[in-house]
Amino acid sequence: MSYAVKAEALAKAILVLVDGGVDDSHCYRNLVDNLYAYRVGAVNGTGKWDTRKIKDQCQWTISARNSDKVEKEHVVPMAEVVRILLSLTNPHISDIYDVIDKYCVYCIVTPKEHSILNVKYQRKMPSEFWDSNSEYYMDAWVRYKLSGLEIMF
């Protein structure tokens, strides 16, 4: 089975959860993470998520590039990705792909940076992300920008 077919199956499963109004982010986590892996080609020969390939796809903070200890962090916390998915009106598979491509983003950070993001935002996006009048409206990187974390793009 091709990666495209597997990605579509994962997107359909996410669509079923969205259509059912399921708002528990834990129900989505593996589906979303694996769909991301298929979308960017970060799977191994057995079709499983490949951490090394994921790291190759991620942005890194400048501090993480110079650290021996790093962690993969969801730039937009999973609960907020779910919130975006649930806000879709009559979604289709292409809408699921659009959300995953735009908001299912990872960054390699130091443990200290990960802690700063989690303490400051409690795994949520700041209000500026949701405010259509803000310069940070729907900006996936707003938590990093407001926390002063420098990213290597």
mmCIF file of all heavy atoms in Angstrom, residues 60-111:
data_model
loop_
_atom_site.group_PDB
_atom_site.id
_atom_site.type_symbol
_atom_site.label_atom_id
_atom_site.label_comp_id
_atom_site.label_asym_id
_atom_site.label_seq_id
_atom_site.Cartn_x
_atom_site.Cartn_y
_atom_site.Cartn_z
ATOM 1 N N TRP A 60 14.787 23.904 14.159
ATOM 2 C CA TRP A 60 15.509 23.773 15.415
ATOM 3 C C TRP A 60 15.687 25.162 16.022
ATOM 4 O O TRP A 60 15.870 26.129 15.292
ATOM 5 C CB TRP A 60 16.896 23.177 15.185
ATOM 6 C CG TRP A 60 16.928 21.743 14.780
ATOM 7 C CD1 TRP A 60 16.371 21.177 13.670
ATOM 8 C CD2 TRP A 60 17.574 20.688 15.473
ATOM 9 N NE1 TRP A 60 16.628 19.836 13.643
ATOM 10 C CE2 TRP A 60 17.368 19.512 14.727
ATOM 11 C CE3 TRP A 60 18.313 20.626 16.658
ATOM 12 C CZ2 TRP A 60 17.872 18.273 15.138
ATOM 13 C CZ3 TRP A 60 18.822 19.395 17.053
ATOM 14 C CH2 TRP A 60 18.599 18.226 16.303
ATOM 15 N N THR A 61 15.656 25.235 17.363
ATOM 16 C CA THR A 61 16.044 26.494 17.996
ATOM 17 C C THR A 61 17.568 26.569 17.923
ATOM 18 O O THR A 61 18.254 25.536 17.800
ATOM 19 C CB THR A 61 15.593 26.585 19.465
ATOM 20 O OG1 THR A 61 16.236 25.568 20.224
ATOM 21 C CG2 THR A 61 14.072 26.487 19.579
ATOM 22 N N ILE A 62 18.074 27.776 18.001
ATOM 23 C CA ILE A 62 19.529 27.953 17.964
ATOM 24 C C ILE A 62 20.172 27.244 19.154
ATOM 25 O O ILE A 62 21.197 26.577 19.009
ATOM 26 C CB ILE A 62 19.888 29.456 17.925
ATOM 27 C CG1 ILE A 62 19.477 30.018 16.549
ATOM 28 C CG2 ILE A 62 21.369 29.687 18.203
ATOM 29 C CD1 ILE A 62 19.584 31.505 16.399
ATOM 30 N N SER A 63 19.534 27.329 20.316
ATOM 31 C CA SER A 63 20.070 26.655 21.512
ATOM 32 C C SER A 63 20.111 25.143 21.335
ATOM 33 O O SER A 63 21.060 24.487 21.765
ATOM 34 C CB SER A 63 19.221 26.994 22.741
ATOM 35 O OG SER A 63 19.277 28.369 23.012
ATOM 36 N N ALA A 64 19.085 24.574 20.713
ATOM 37 C CA ALA A 64 19.036 23.120 20.524
ATOM 38 C C ALA A 64 20.150 22.647 19.599
ATOM 39 O O ALA A 64 20.686 21.552 19.785
ATOM 40 C CB ALA A 64 17.672 22.704 19.982
ATOM 41 N N ARG A 65 20.509 23.450 18.600
ATOM 42 C CA ARG A 65 21.587 23.069 17.678
ATOM 43 C C ARG A 65 22.907 22.919 18.406
ATOM 44 O O ARG A 65 23.803 22.216 17.953
ATOM 45 C CB ARG A 65 21.744 24.112 16.561
ATOM 46 C CG ARG A 65 20.769 23.954 15.452
ATOM 47 C CD ARG A 65 21.168 22.815 14.532
ATOM 48 N NE ARG A 65 20.200 22.714 13.455
ATOM 49 C CZ ARG A 65 19.912 21.607 12.840
ATOM 50 N NH1 ARG A 65 20.511 20.488 13.163
ATOM 51 N NH2 ARG A 65 19.035 21.578 11.878
ATOM 52 N N ASN A 66 23.019 23.593 19.544
ATOM 53 C CA ASN A 66 24.267 23.571 20.313
ATOM 54 C C ASN A 66 24.138 22.757 21.598
ATOM 55 O O ASN A 66 24.932 22.926 22.510
ATOM 56 C CB ASN A 66 24.695 25.009 20.644
ATOM 57 C CG ASN A 66 24.934 25.813 19.395
ATOM 58 O OD1 ASN A 66 25.619 25.374 18.487
ATOM 59 N ND2 ASN A 66 24.354 27.005 19.338
ATOM 60 N N SER A 67 23.144 21.879 21.658
ATOM 61 C CA SER A 67 22.888 21.114 22.879
ATOM 62 C C SER A 67 22.954 19.615 22.618
ATOM 63 O O SER A 67 22.587 19.148 21.533
ATOM 64 C CB SER A 67 21.503 21.480 23.417
ATOM 65 O OG SER A 67 21.201 20.712 24.558
ATOM 66 N N ASP A 68 23.387 18.888 23.625
ATOM 67 C CA ASP A 68 23.404 17.425 23.532
ATOM 68 C C ASP A 68 22.036 16.829 23.839
ATOM 69 O O ASP A 68 21.725 15.732 23.402
ATOM 70 C CB ASP A 68 24.426 16.830 24.507
ATOM 71 C CG ASP A 68 25.861 17.136 24.108
ATOM 72 O OD1 ASP A 68 26.109 17.369 22.911
ATOM 73 O OD2 ASP A 68 26.725 17.156 25.003
ATOM 74 N N LYS A 69 21.232 17.541 24.605
ATOM 75 C CA LYS A 69 19.906 17.044 24.992
ATOM 76 C C LYS A 69 18.846 17.886 24.290
ATOM 77 O O LYS A 69 18.773 19.102 24.500
ATOM 78 C CB LYS A 69 19.723 17.116 26.502
ATOM 79 C CG LYS A 69 20.635 16.155 27.240
ATOM 80 C CD LYS A 69 20.274 16.063 28.688
ATOM 81 C CE LYS A 69 21.215 15.052 29.335
ATOM 82 N NZ LYS A 69 20.650 14.421 30.477
ATOM 83 N N VAL A 70 18.053 17.218 23.461
ATOM 84 C CA VAL A 70 16.996 17.915 22.731
ATOM 85 C C VAL A 70 15.703 17.115 22.786
ATOM 86 O O VAL A 70 15.720 15.907 23.060
ATOM 87 C CB VAL A 70 17.388 18.176 21.251
ATOM 88 C CG1 VAL A 70 18.591 19.101 21.159
ATOM 89 C CG2 VAL A 70 17.653 16.882 20.506
ATOM 90 N N GLU A 71 14.598 17.813 22.532
ATOM 91 C CA GLU A 71 13.276 17.193 22.525
ATOM 92 C C GLU A 71 12.496 17.709 21.322
ATOM 93 O O GLU A 71 12.686 18.842 20.891
ATOM 94 C CB GLU A 71 12.522 17.555 23.812
ATOM 95 C CG GLU A 71 13.222 17.080 25.061
ATOM 96 C CD GLU A 71 12.560 17.568 26.344
ATOM 97 O OE1 GLU A 71 11.582 18.335 26.275
ATOM 98 O OE2 GLU A 71 13.043 17.171 27.416
ATOM 99 N N LYS A 72 11.592 16.865 20.825
ATOM 100 C CA LYS A 72 10.689 17.265 19.740
ATOM 101 C C LYS A 72 9.468 17.893 20.375
ATOM 102 O O LYS A 72 8.875 17.331 21.285
ATOM 103 C CB LYS A 72 10.301 16.060 18.891
ATOM 104 C CG LYS A 72 9.296 16.368 17.791
ATOM 105 C CD LYS A 72 8.923 15.133 17.015
ATOM 106 C CE LYS A 72 8.160 14.116 17.789
ATOM 107 N NZ LYS A 72 6.801 14.434 18.188
ATOM 108 N N GLU A 73 9.083 19.071 19.897
ATOM 109 C CA GLU A 73 7.970 19.813 20.487
ATOM 110 C C GLU A 73 6.959 20.153 19.404
ATOM 111 O O GLU A 73 7.331 20.509 18.282
ATOM 112 C CB GLU A 73 8.519 21.100 21.122
ATOM 113 C CG GLU A 73 7.666 21.717 22.181
ATOM 114 C CD GLU A 73 6.713 22.791 21.683
ATOM 115 O OE1 GLU A 73 6.964 23.419 20.648
ATOM 116 O OE2 GLU A 73 5.695 22.986 22.350
ATOM 117 N N HIS A 74 5.672 20.004 19.733
ATOM 118 C CA HIS A 74 4.618 20.438 18.818
ATOM 119 C C HIS A 74 4.559 21.963 18.858
ATOM 120 O O HIS A 74 4.281 22.539 19.908
ATOM 121 C CB HIS A 74 3.252 19.880 19.247
ATOM 122 C CG HIS A 74 3.088 18.426 18.994
ATOM 123 N ND1 HIS A 74 3.444 17.468 19.915
ATOM 124 C CD2 HIS A 74 2.599 17.763 17.928
ATOM 125 C CE1 HIS A 74 3.185 16.274 19.426
ATOM 126 N NE2 HIS A 74 2.666 16.416 18.220
ATOM 127 N N VAL A 75 4.833 22.618 17.758
ATOM 128 C CA VAL A 75 4.816 24.076 17.702
ATOM 129 C C VAL A 75 3.417 24.592 18.045
ATOM 130 O O VAL A 75 3.262 25.540 18.805
ATOM 131 C CB VAL A 75 5.303 24.573 16.321
ATOM 132 C CG1 VAL A 75 5.139 26.074 16.185
ATOM 133 C CG2 VAL A 75 6.759 24.161 16.102
ATOM 134 N N VAL A 76 2.421 23.963 17.490
ATOM 135 C CA VAL A 76 1.029 24.221 17.873
ATOM 136 C C VAL A 76 0.598 23.004 18.688
ATOM 137 O O VAL A 76 0.579 21.892 18.158
ATOM 138 C CB VAL A 76 0.120 24.411 16.641
ATOM 139 C CG1 VAL A 76 -1.332 24.602 17.057
ATOM 140 C CG2 VAL A 76 0.598 25.585 15.785
ATOM 141 N N PRO A 77 0.300 23.193 19.972
ATOM 142 C CA PRO A 77 -0.064 22.040 20.799
ATOM 143 C C PRO A 77 -1.221 21.245 20.189
ATOM 144 O O PRO A 77 -2.104 21.806 19.529
ATOM 145 C CB PRO A 77 -0.479 22.684 22.126
ATOM 146 C CG PRO A 77 0.288 23.975 22.158
ATOM 147 C CD PRO A 77 0.302 24.444 20.729
ATOM 148 N N MET A 78 -1.204 19.936 20.422
ATOM 149 C CA MET A 78 -2.189 19.049 19.798
ATOM 150 C C MET A 78 -3.626 19.477 20.110
ATOM 151 O O MET A 78 -4.498 19.425 19.238
ATOM 152 C CB MET A 78 -1.953 17.609 20.237
ATOM 153 C CG MET A 78 -2.825 16.606 19.519
ATOM 154 S SD MET A 78 -2.624 16.601 17.713
ATOM 155 C CE MET A 78 -0.918 16.116 17.561
ATOM 156 N N ALA A 79 -3.890 19.904 21.335
ATOM 157 C CA ALA A 79 -5.251 20.334 21.677
ATOM 158 C C ALA A 79 -5.700 21.496 20.797
ATOM 159 O O ALA A 79 -6.880 21.602 20.438
ATOM 160 C CB ALA A 79 -5.331 20.724 23.154
ATOM 161 N N GLU A 80 -4.760 22.345 20.417
ATOM 162 C CA GLU A 80 -5.097 23.491 19.572
ATOM 163 C C GLU A 80 -5.258 23.068 18.107
ATOM 164 O O GLU A 80 -6.087 23.616 17.384
ATOM 165 C CB GLU A 80 -4.048 24.587 19.719
ATOM 166 C CG GLU A 80 -3.891 25.103 21.141
ATOM 167 C CD GLU A 80 -5.068 25.911 21.656
ATOM 168 O OE1 GLU A 80 -6.235 25.504 21.477
ATOM 169 O OE2 GLU A 80 -4.817 26.973 22.254
ATOM 170 N N VAL A 81 -4.485 22.076 17.680
ATOM 171 C CA VAL A 81 -4.681 21.520 16.329
ATOM 172 C C VAL A 81 -6.086 20.934 16.247
ATOM 173 O O VAL A 81 -6.812 21.149 15.267
ATOM 174 C CB VAL A 81 -3.609 20.459 15.987
ATOM 175 C CG1 VAL A 81 -3.942 19.743 14.683
ATOM 176 C CG2 VAL A 81 -2.223 21.089 15.908
ATOM 177 N N VAL A 82 -6.490 20.233 17.299
ATOM 178 C CA VAL A 82 -7.843 19.654 17.344
ATOM 179 C C VAL A 82 -8.892 20.767 17.317
ATOM 180 O O VAL A 82 -9.890 20.677 16.599
ATOM 181 C CB VAL A 82 -8.017 18.741 18.577
ATOM 182 C CG1 VAL A 82 -9.471 18.324 18.763
ATOM 183 C CG2 VAL A 82 -7.110 17.519 18.443
ATOM 184 N N ARG A 83 -8.646 21.824 18.057
ATOM 185 C CA ARG A 83 -9.579 22.967 18.061
ATOM 186 C C ARG A 83 -9.738 23.539 16.654
ATOM 187 O O ARG A 83 -10.849 23.872 16.230
ATOM 188 C CB ARG A 83 -9.055 24.039 19.025
ATOM 189 C CG ARG A 83 -9.940 25.243 19.182
ATOM 190 C CD ARG A 83 -9.370 26.165 20.259
ATOM 191 N NE ARG A 83 -10.080 27.423 20.292
ATOM 192 C CZ ARG A 83 -9.722 28.447 21.037
ATOM 193 N NH1 ARG A 83 -8.660 28.361 21.833
ATOM 194 N NH2 ARG A 83 -10.408 29.571 21.013
ATOM 195 N N ILE A 84 -8.639 23.652 15.926
ATOM 196 C CA ILE A 84 -8.693 24.144 14.540
ATOM 197 C C ILE A 84 -9.486 23.167 13.677
ATOM 198 O O ILE A 84 -10.345 23.579 12.892
ATOM 199 C CB ILE A 84 -7.275 24.359 13.987
ATOM 200 C CG1 ILE A 84 -6.575 25.495 14.744
ATOM 201 C CG2 ILE A 84 -7.318 24.662 12.481
ATOM 202 C CD1 ILE A 84 -5.069 25.552 14.517
ATOM 203 N N LEU A 85 -9.198 21.875 13.825
ATOM 204 C CA LEU A 85 -9.921 20.869 13.040
ATOM 205 C C LEU A 85 -11.427 20.939 13.314
ATOM 206 O O LEU A 85 -12.238 20.888 12.387
ATOM 207 C CB LEU A 85 -9.400 19.464 13.364
ATOM 208 C CG LEU A 85 -8.025 19.107 12.814
ATOM 209 C CD1 LEU A 85 -7.481 17.847 13.483
ATOM 210 C CD2 LEU A 85 -8.061 18.958 11.306
ATOM 211 N N LEU A 86 -11.788 21.086 14.579
ATOM 212 C CA LEU A 86 -13.201 21.118 14.942
ATOM 213 C C LEU A 86 -13.903 22.399 14.492
ATOM 214 O O LEU A 86 -15.131 22.443 14.426
ATOM 215 C CB LEU A 86 -13.374 20.918 16.453
ATOM 216 C CG LEU A 86 -13.052 19.511 16.957
ATOM 217 C CD1 LEU A 86 -13.048 19.469 18.476
ATOM 218 C CD2 LEU A 86 -14.026 18.488 16.389
ATOM 219 N N SER A 87 -13.123 23.426 14.166
ATOM 220 C CA SER A 87 -13.724 24.682 13.708
ATOM 221 C C SER A 87 -14.076 24.645 12.215
ATOM 222 O O SER A 87 -14.751 25.550 11.721
ATOM 223 C CB SER A 87 -12.776 25.859 13.977
ATOM 224 O OG SER A 87 -11.684 25.844 13.063
ATOM 225 N N LEU A 88 -13.627 23.600 11.528
ATOM 226 C CA LEU A 88 -13.900 23.487 10.095
ATOM 227 C C LEU A 88 -15.389 23.243 9.853
ATOM 228 O O LEU A 88 -16.023 22.485 10.577
ATOM 229 C CB LEU A 88 -13.088 22.339 9.485
ATOM 230 C CG LEU A 88 -11.566 22.458 9.579
ATOM 231 C CD1 LEU A 88 -10.911 21.170 9.089
ATOM 232 C CD2 LEU A 88 -11.061 23.658 8.783
ATOM 233 N N THR A 89 -15.908 23.884 8.822
ATOM 234 C CA THR A 89 -17.306 23.703 8.438
ATOM 235 C C THR A 89 -17.374 22.736 7.271
ATOM 236 O O THR A 89 -16.737 22.965 6.242
ATOM 237 C CB THR A 89 -17.936 25.057 8.032
ATOM 238 O OG1 THR A 89 -17.769 25.973 9.114
ATOM 239 C CG2 THR A 89 -19.406 24.911 7.717
ATOM 240 N N ASN A 90 -18.101 21.641 7.442
ATOM 241 C CA ASN A 90 -18.229 20.617 6.396
ATOM 242 C C ASN A 90 -16.863 20.233 5.803
ATOM 243 O O ASN A 90 -16.644 20.359 4.600
ATOM 244 C CB ASN A 90 -19.175 21.096 5.287
ATOM 245 C CG ASN A 90 -20.559 21.353 5.810
ATOM 246 O OD1 ASN A 90 -21.092 20.574 6.588
ATOM 247 N ND2 ASN A 90 -21.151 22.469 5.390
ATOM 248 N N PRO A 91 -15.949 19.775 6.641
ATOM 249 C CA PRO A 91 -14.595 19.500 6.156
ATOM 250 C C PRO A 91 -14.506 18.309 5.202
ATOM 251 O O PRO A 91 -15.317 17.378 5.264
ATOM 252 C CB PRO A 91 -13.821 19.226 7.437
ATOM 253 C CG PRO A 91 -14.849 18.704 8.385
ATOM 254 C CD PRO A 91 -16.118 19.437 8.044
ATOM 255 N N HIS A 92 -13.509 18.389 4.351
ATOM 256 C CA HIS A 92 -13.156 17.314 3.424
ATOM 257 C C HIS A 92 -11.725 16.882 3.734
ATOM 258 O O HIS A 92 -11.015 17.562 4.493
ATOM 259 C CB HIS A 92 -13.258 17.804 1.975
ATOM 260 C CG HIS A 92 -14.651 18.171 1.589
ATOM 261 N ND1 HIS A 92 -15.155 19.443 1.745
ATOM 262 C CD2 HIS A 92 -15.657 17.422 1.075
ATOM 263 C CE1 HIS A 92 -16.403 19.468 1.332
ATOM 264 N NE2 HIS A 92 -16.743 18.256 0.929
ATOM 265 N N ILE A 93 -11.286 15.820 3.122
ATOM 266 C CA ILE A 93 -9.928 15.325 3.345
ATOM 267 C C ILE A 93 -8.897 16.412 3.026
ATOM 268 O O ILE A 93 -7.926 16.578 3.751
ATOM 269 C CB ILE A 93 -9.674 14.035 2.542
ATOM 270 C CG1 ILE A 93 -10.460 12.893 3.181
ATOM 271 C CG2 ILE A 93 -8.188 13.694 2.492
ATOM 272 C CD1 ILE A 93 -10.383 11.581 2.461
ATOM 273 N N SER A 94 -9.135 17.183 1.979
ATOM 274 C CA SER A 94 -8.187 18.247 1.625
ATOM 275 C C SER A 94 -8.068 19.277 2.749
ATOM 276 O O SER A 94 -6.989 19.844 2.967
ATOM 277 C CB SER A 94 -8.592 18.918 0.314
ATOM 278 O OG SER A 94 -9.868 19.520 0.444
ATOM 279 N N ASP A 95 -9.154 19.521 3.478
ATOM 280 C CA ASP A 95 -9.105 20.452 4.612
ATOM 281 C C ASP A 95 -8.254 19.879 5.743
ATOM 282 O O ASP A 95 -7.514 20.614 6.406
ATOM 283 C CB ASP A 95 -10.516 20.745 5.130
ATOM 284 C CG ASP A 95 -11.408 21.390 4.087
ATOM 285 O OD1 ASP A 95 -10.956 22.329 3.404
ATOM 286 O OD2 ASP A 95 -12.565 20.933 3.949
ATOM 287 N N ILE A 96 -8.370 18.583 5.958
ATOM 288 C CA ILE A 96 -7.552 17.919 6.982
ATOM 289 C C ILE A 96 -6.078 18.060 6.605
ATOM 290 O O ILE A 96 -5.249 18.434 7.438
ATOM 291 C CB ILE A 96 -7.934 16.428 7.140
ATOM 292 C CG1 ILE A 96 -9.421 16.252 7.481
ATOM 293 C CG2 ILE A 96 -7.025 15.735 8.158
ATOM 294 C CD1 ILE A 96 -9.878 16.892 8.765
ATOM 295 N N TYR A 97 -5.746 17.795 5.347
ATOM 296 C CA TYR A 97 -4.365 17.956 4.879
ATOM 297 C C TYR A 97 -3.882 19.388 5.088
ATOM 298 O O TYR A 97 -2.749 19.615 5.522
ATOM 299 C CB TYR A 97 -4.239 17.596 3.399
ATOM 300 C CG TYR A 97 -4.353 16.129 3.069
ATOM 301 C CD1 TYR A 97 -4.798 15.738 1.810
ATOM 302 C CD2 TYR A 97 -3.998 15.132 3.956
ATOM 303 C CE1 TYR A 97 -4.894 14.397 1.459
ATOM 304 C CE2 TYR A 97 -4.093 13.789 3.623
ATOM 305 C CZ TYR A 97 -4.538 13.431 2.375
ATOM 306 O OH TYR A 97 -4.630 12.107 2.031
ATOM 307 N N ASP A 98 -4.721 20.369 4.777
ATOM 308 C CA ASP A 98 -4.330 21.773 4.928
ATOM 309 C C ASP A 98 -3.991 22.097 6.380
ATOM 310 O O ASP A 98 -2.984 22.764 6.646
ATOM 311 C CB ASP A 98 -5.443 22.712 4.439
ATOM 312 C CG ASP A 98 -5.621 22.701 2.939
ATOM 313 O OD1 ASP A 98 -4.729 22.200 2.217
ATOM 314 O OD2 ASP A 98 -6.678 23.188 2.475
ATOM 315 N N VAL A 99 -4.814 21.635 7.310
ATOM 316 C CA VAL A 99 -4.557 21.898 8.726
ATOM 317 C C VAL A 99 -3.273 21.203 9.166
ATOM 318 O O VAL A 99 -2.429 21.809 9.839
ATOM 319 C CB VAL A 99 -5.755 21.464 9.607
ATOM 320 C CG1 VAL A 99 -5.394 21.508 11.098
ATOM 321 C CG2 VAL A 99 -6.965 22.345 9.328
ATOM 322 N N ILE A 100 -3.104 19.960 8.779
ATOM 323 C CA ILE A 100 -1.897 19.215 9.162
ATOM 324 C C ILE A 100 -0.659 19.897 8.586
ATOM 325 O O ILE A 100 0.332 20.104 9.292
ATOM 326 C CB ILE A 100 -1.976 17.739 8.700
ATOM 327 C CG1 ILE A 100 -3.163 17.012 9.358
ATOM 328 C CG2 ILE A 100 -0.658 17.005 8.970
ATOM 329 C CD1 ILE A 100 -3.237 17.109 10.861
ATOM 330 N N ASP A 101 -0.721 20.263 7.320
ATOM 331 C CA ASP A 101 0.441 20.882 6.674
ATOM 332 C C ASP A 101 0.809 22.224 7.306
ATOM 333 O O ASP A 101 1.986 22.570 7.396
ATOM 334 C CB ASP A 101 0.187 21.079 5.181
ATOM 335 C CG ASP A 101 0.092 19.768 4.420
ATOM 336 O OD1 ASP A 101 0.457 18.708 4.975
ATOM 337 O OD2 ASP A 101 -0.369 19.803 3.259
ATOM 338 N N LYS A 102 -0.179 22.966 7.762
ATOM 339 C CA LYS A 102 0.079 24.307 8.301
ATOM 340 C C LYS A 102 0.348 24.316 9.803
ATOM 341 O O LYS A 102 1.174 25.091 10.280
ATOM 342 C CB LYS A 102 -1.095 25.223 7.983
ATOM 343 C CG LYS A 102 -0.835 26.668 8.330
ATOM 344 C CD LYS A 102 -1.889 27.589 7.766
ATOM 345 C CE LYS A 102 -1.553 29.039 8.083
ATOM 346 N NZ LYS A 102 -2.537 29.961 7.567
ATOM 347 N N TYR A 103 -0.340 23.460 10.561
ATOM 348 C CA TYR A 103 -0.279 23.552 12.016
ATOM 349 C C TYR A 103 0.332 22.352 12.729
ATOM 350 O O TYR A 103 0.615 22.427 13.915
ATOM 351 C CB TYR A 103 -1.675 23.832 12.586
ATOM 352 C CG TYR A 103 -2.205 25.151 12.094
ATOM 353 C CD1 TYR A 103 -3.233 25.200 11.165
ATOM 354 C CD2 TYR A 103 -1.645 26.349 12.516
ATOM 355 C CE1 TYR A 103 -3.707 26.417 10.684
ATOM 356 C CE2 TYR A 103 -2.104 27.563 12.042
ATOM 357 C CZ TYR A 103 -3.135 27.589 11.122
ATOM 358 O OH TYR A 103 -3.589 28.789 10.643
ATOM 359 N N CYS A 104 0.525 21.260 12.040
ATOM 360 C CA CYS A 104 1.196 20.108 12.643
ATOM 361 C C CYS A 104 2.682 20.254 12.309
ATOM 362 O O CYS A 104 3.199 19.653 11.377
ATOM 363 C CB CYS A 104 0.621 18.800 12.115
ATOM 364 S SG CYS A 104 1.264 17.373 13.008
ATOM 365 N N VAL A 105 3.310 21.115 13.079
ATOM 366 C CA VAL A 105 4.703 21.495 12.856
ATOM 367 C C VAL A 105 5.467 21.129 14.123
ATOM 368 O O VAL A 105 4.947 21.269 15.227
ATOM 369 C CB VAL A 105 4.808 23.018 12.594
ATOM 370 C CG1 VAL A 105 6.238 23.442 12.352
ATOM 371 C CG2 VAL A 105 3.905 23.436 11.449
ATOM 372 N N TYR A 106 6.690 20.691 13.942
ATOM 373 C CA TYR A 106 7.524 20.309 15.075
ATOM 374 C C TYR A 106 8.778 21.154 15.098
ATOM 375 O O TYR A 106 9.243 21.621 14.064
ATOM 376 C CB TYR A 106 7.925 18.833 14.991
ATOM 377 C CG TYR A 106 6.737 17.922 14.922
ATOM 378 C CD1 TYR A 106 6.218 17.508 13.705
ATOM 379 C CD2 TYR A 106 6.108 17.510 16.087
ATOM 380 C CE1 TYR A 106 5.105 16.690 13.647
ATOM 381 C CE2 TYR A 106 4.987 16.685 16.031
ATOM 382 C CZ TYR A 106 4.501 16.287 14.813
ATOM 383 O OH TYR A 106 3.398 15.479 14.753
ATOM 384 N N CYS A 107 9.307 21.323 16.300
ATOM 385 C CA CYS A 107 10.564 22.029 16.464
ATOM 386 C C CYS A 107 11.405 21.249 17.462
ATOM 387 O O CYS A 107 10.870 20.707 18.439
ATOM 388 C CB CYS A 107 10.307 23.458 16.970
ATOM 389 S SG CYS A 107 11.784 24.497 16.992
ATOM 390 N N ILE A 108 12.674 21.202 17.224
ATOM 391 C CA ILE A 108 13.601 20.573 18.155
ATOM 392 C C ILE A 108 14.080 21.666 19.106
ATOM 393 O O ILE A 108 14.599 22.699 18.671
ATOM 394 C CB ILE A 108 14.787 19.910 17.423
ATOM 395 C CG1 ILE A 108 14.293 18.896 16.382
ATOM 396 C CG2 ILE A 108 15.743 19.270 18.422
ATOM 397 C CD1 ILE A 108 13.471 17.753 16.942
ATOM 398 N N VAL A 109 13.854 21.428 20.400
ATOM 399 C CA VAL A 109 14.163 22.411 21.437
ATOM 400 C C VAL A 109 14.977 21.758 22.546
ATOM 401 O O VAL A 109 15.056 20.535 22.629
ATOM 402 C CB VAL A 109 12.856 23.004 22.035
ATOM 403 C CG1 VAL A 109 12.044 23.741 20.977
ATOM 404 C CG2 VAL A 109 12.000 21.924 22.697
ATOM 405 N N THR A 110 15.542 22.585 23.396
ATOM 406 C CA THR A 110 16.195 22.058 24.596
ATOM 407 C C THR A 110 15.112 21.748 25.630
ATOM 408 O O THR A 110 14.002 22.297 25.550
ATOM 409 C CB THR A 110 17.183 23.079 25.198
ATOM 410 O OG1 THR A 110 16.454 24.215 25.651
ATOM 411 C CG2 THR A 110 18.254 23.486 24.185
ATOM 412 N N PRO A 111 15.407 20.909 26.615
ATOM 413 C CA PRO A 111 14.424 20.658 27.675
ATOM 414 C C PRO A 111 14.002 21.948 28.385
ATOM 415 O O PRO A 111 12.826 22.118 28.733
ATOM 416 C CB PRO A 111 15.154 19.699 28.624
ATOM 417 C CG PRO A 111 16.120 18.976 27.732
ATOM 418 C CD PRO A 111 16.579 20.017 26.737
#
